[in-house]
């Protein structure tokens, strides 16, 4: 079967050069697709889902994971969330700032 192979190769090629990654749109999509329900609204992780931000995994790995998750996470096909939308979601996760170190939080230093 050549067609599925071609489709896979094409989608990989597209993933490597996705146009404009829009973090603001990614934030909306993260809410729209319910990612926040398991991963927290800032991708900080919850008891139901892994921590995703800051420093999300590389885009190609993220797309591959979404299509075929390995554990509890439901799969998201390209019909549900496109590669370009995942690029925006990743841009949002990458835009989330690191939390401050504990020594900079006055309440934790009394
Ligand atoms: C029903 C709960 C649930 C939802 C909804 C969900 N996830 Fe997950 N996700 C998980 C869990 C649990 C894991 C940890 C590994 C596993 O069990 O699959 C995970 C893992 C991941 C990983 C891999 C993290 C790593 O470091 O390897 C990524 C990336 C991810 N999710 C992104 C998303 C995105 C983006 C969405 C929304 C489109 C989403 N998830 C929606 C539960 C969820």
């Amino acid at each position: 079967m050549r067609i599925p192979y071609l489709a896979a190769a094409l989608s990989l090629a597209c993933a490597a050069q996705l146009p404009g990654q829009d973090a603001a749109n990614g934030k909306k999509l993260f809410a729209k697709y319910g990612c926040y329900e398991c991963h927290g609204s800032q991708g900080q992780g919850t008891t139901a889902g892994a921590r995703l931000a800051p420093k999300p995994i590389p885009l190609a790995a993220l797309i591959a994971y979404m299509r075929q998750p390995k554990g509890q996470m439901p799969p998201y096909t390209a019909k549900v969330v496109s590669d370009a939308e995942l690029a925006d979601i990743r841009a949002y996760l990458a835009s989330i700032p690191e939390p401050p170190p504990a020594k900079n939080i006055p309440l934790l230093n009394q």
Side-chain angles (χ1 to χ4, degrees), residues 43-106:
Q44 74 272 32
T46 71
T47 49
R51 180 175 187 149
L52 304 178
K55 300 198 186 98
I57 57 176
L59 181 58
L62 188 141
I63 292 173
Y65 191 87
M66 301 304 294
R67 308 305 182 214
Q68 275 185 315
K70 292 179 181 66
Q72 303 279 304
M73 185 168 135
Y76 285 77
T77 66
K79 280 185 194 151
V80 178
V81 192
S82 70
D83 287 0
E85 287 177 314
L86 288 175
D88 286 356
I89 288 176
R90 188 184 178 281
Y92 165 59
L93 295 170
S95 76
I96 292 168
E98 294 266 355
K103 69 175 170 53
N104 293 357
I105 301 174

